[in-house]
């Protein structure tokens, strides 16, 4: 993989996370329960489920990232070179229109729709703090075990990029859910806004 300027890499992820946070604050937290629980069909996730799924990843990775930052670290401005597996996971998340089955440990488990929204916002704020801190620390040297298989370890930079790409993928899914609901309402189609 080609080495990239670390500052540019982190800045890009930071800006993309700011967009995700802004969308959540401006849009998600102002949606009613009927929208957060709306699903076009039984096979599709609703918004609360999308956020629960993302929160499960944050619950695993954010403490690991914060733990790395809590330890003494040497300043490093070293360029970042993505690992082949990390690049593969990021590219998977960026493939639009391709569906992937969620790992069992990351299947949605919605407590309350508004809790999921608040938790997602909190996690995006934590992610921004992590990204800011990793501006000064090497993201190429330390590895984190993946949530799917603890034997597979990814570079910190790969984890950061995967998380942002994964969030963007589901943010796009959430936009599509809102549009589908609006289209069904506009066409007068009967639908069920179900609660979990």
């Amino acid at each position: 993989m080609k080495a990239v300027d670390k500052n540019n890499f982190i800045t890009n992820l930071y800006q993309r996370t700011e967009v995700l946070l802004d969308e959540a604050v401006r849009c998600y937290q102002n949606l009613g329960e009927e929208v957060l629980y709306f699903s076009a069909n039984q096979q599709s996730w609703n918004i609360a489920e999308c956020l629960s799924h993302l929160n499960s990843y944050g619950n695993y990775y954010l403490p690991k990232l914060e733990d790395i930052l809590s330890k003494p670290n040497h300043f490093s401005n070293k360029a970042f070179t993505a690992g082949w597996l990390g690049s593969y996971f990021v590219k998977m998340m960026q493939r639009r229109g391709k569906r992937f089955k969620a790992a069992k440990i990351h299947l949605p488990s919605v407590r309350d729709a508004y809790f999921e929204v608040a938790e997602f916002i909190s996690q995006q704020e934590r992610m921004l703090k992590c990204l800011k801190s990793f501006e000064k620390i090497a993201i190429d040297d330390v590895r984190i075990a993946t949530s799917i298989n603890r034997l597979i370890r990814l570079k910190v930079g790969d984890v950061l990029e995967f998380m942002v790409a994964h969030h963007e993928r589901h943010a796009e899914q959430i936009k599509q859910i809102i549009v589908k609901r609006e289209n069904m309402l506009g066409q007068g189609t009967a639908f069920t806004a179900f609660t979990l």
Side-chain angles (χ1 to χ4, degrees), residues 1 82-89 155 158:
M1 300 289 142
W84 69 268
L85 189 57
S87 293
Y88 172 77
F89 287 143
K155 296 178 180 184
D158 288 330

Side-chain angles (χ1 to χ4, degrees), residues 115-151:
F115 169 84
E116 300 302 343
V117 172
E119 179 65 14
F120 181 76
I121 289 170
S122 172
Q123 287 190 9
Q124 294 313 293
E125 290 168 343
R126 287 168 66 192
M127 183 71 169
L128 287 173
K129 285 179 187 170
C130 285
L131 287 164
K132 198 72 178 157
S133 297
F134 277 115
E135 285 178 345
K136 302 176 183 84
I137 299 166
I139 57 173
D140 221 344
D141 303 334
V142 181
R143 293 179 180 262
I144 296 174
T146 66
S147 61
I148 310 299
N149 184 331
R150 306 300 157 93
L151 297 176

Side-chain angles (χ1 to χ4, degrees), residues 23-190:
E23 180 101 349
V25 170
R26 195 174 36 80
C27 179
Y28 307 165
Q29 75 176 359
N30 293 309
L31 295 173
E33 277 193 359
E34 71 283 358
V35 183
L36 292 170
Y37 285 123
F38 168 78
S39 181
N41 57 61
Q42 290 185 332
Q43 288 76 42
S44 301
W45 285 354
N46 58 45
I47 295 170
E49 289 171 318
C50 290
L51 295 176
S52 171
H53 169 71
L54 292 175
N55 290 339
S56 74
Y57 275 89
N59 288 335
Y60 178 81
Y61 287 106
L62 284 170
K64 296 202 174 318
L65 293 167
E66 290 163 343
D67 185 53
I68 291 165
L69 293 168
S70 73
K71 293 174 181 166
N73 289 288
H74 296 292
F75 176 84
S76 173
N77 216 10
K78 180 179 155 187
F80 173 64
T81 305
W84 69 268
L85 189 57
S87 293
Y88 172 77
F89 287 143
V90 169
K91 284 181 182 145
M92 268 179 49
M93 291 302 105
Q94 293 170 334
R95 287 177 68 186
R96 299 294 180 233
K98 174 80 173 154
R99 292 182 70 149
F100 300 101
K101 188 173 172 134
K104 191 174 181 179
I105 64 167
H106 291 300
L107 288 172
S109 176
V110 178
R111 298 184 211 182
D112 170 82
Y114 292 118
F115 169 84
E116 300 302 343
V117 172
E119 179 65 14
F120 181 76
I121 289 170
S122 172
Q123 287 190 9
Q124 294 313 293
E125 290 168 343
R126 287 168 66 192
M127 183 71 169
L128 287 173
K129 285 179 187 170
C130 285
L131 287 164
K132 198 72 178 157
S133 297
F134 277 115
E135 285 178 345
K136 302 176 183 84
I137 299 166
I139 57 173
D140 221 344
D141 303 334
V142 181
R143 293 179 180 262
I144 296 174
T146 66
S147 61
I148 310 299
N149 184 331
R150 306 300 157 93
L151 297 176
I152 299 172
R153 302 175 67 79
L154 298 177
K155 296 178 180 184
V156 166
D158 288 330
V159 169
L160 294 170
E161 188 174 20
F162 168 80
M163 286 182 70
V164 174
H166 189 210
H167 290 146
E168 288 173 334
R169 179 181 181 83
H170 287 287
E172 188 58 38
Q173 182 181 3
I174 289 169
K175 285 179 190 169
Q176 291 172 9
I177 292 168
I178 292 169
V179 168
K180 281 179 186 171
R181 182 178 183 275
E182 288 172 353
N183 288 343
M184 290 175 94
L185 284 174
Q187 295 167 1
T189 306

Side-chain angles (χ1 to χ4, degrees), residues 5-19 94 131 135 161 164 168:
D5 180 82
K6 189 185 118 186
N7 288 337
N8 291 343
F9 177 77
I10 293 288
T11 298
N12 175 267
L13 296 180
Y14 190 93
Q15 290 170 344
R16 288 160 62 189
T17 301
E18 282 186 314
V19 169
Q94 293 170 334
L131 287 164
E135 285 178 345
E161 188 174 20
V164 174
E168 288 173 334

